[in-house]
Amino acid sequence: MVRLADQVSSYWINFATAGDPNGKGPTWAPYDAATEPYLDLGDAVQVRNHLLKAQLDFLEQAQQRRQPSQ
């Protein structure tokens, strides 16, 4: 557990000092708004795209309808 905490801590330190969490360990790909990748930790770990996109789009449209015109 201590090893995991040290690794996560180093990601945060790298990110805070250089804007990039990469260092020793796995490489973190930059965020890509076109695909919005995320890990699906279901039966088999998979990289998928657009977590809940349809639901979030619906909520955003509902919020826009509720806002008064300016």
Side-chain angles (χ1 to χ4, degrees), residues 3-68:
R3 212 170 95 181
L4 175 62
D6 289 343
Q7 188 172 11
V8 171
S9 176
S10 72
Y11 288 139
W12 279 111
I13 291 168
N14 290 342
F15 181 72
T17 58
D20 183 356
N22 297 311
K24 288 192 230 176
T27 300
W28 291 61
Y31 175 74
D32 180 4
T35 59
E36 297 178 354
Y38 71 96
L39 284 178
D40 180 354
L41 303 175
D43 294 333
V45 176
Q46 301 175 41
V47 176
R48 296 186 181 264
N49 295 322
H50 301 294
L51 175 65
L52 303 174
K53 182 171 180 3
Q55 293 89 336
L56 295 172
D57 287 346
F58 172 80
L59 291 174
E60 184 175 357
Q61 291 170 2
Q63 180 64 28
Q64 288 174 352
R65 286 191 299 265
R66 291 184 63 204
Q67 293 177 349

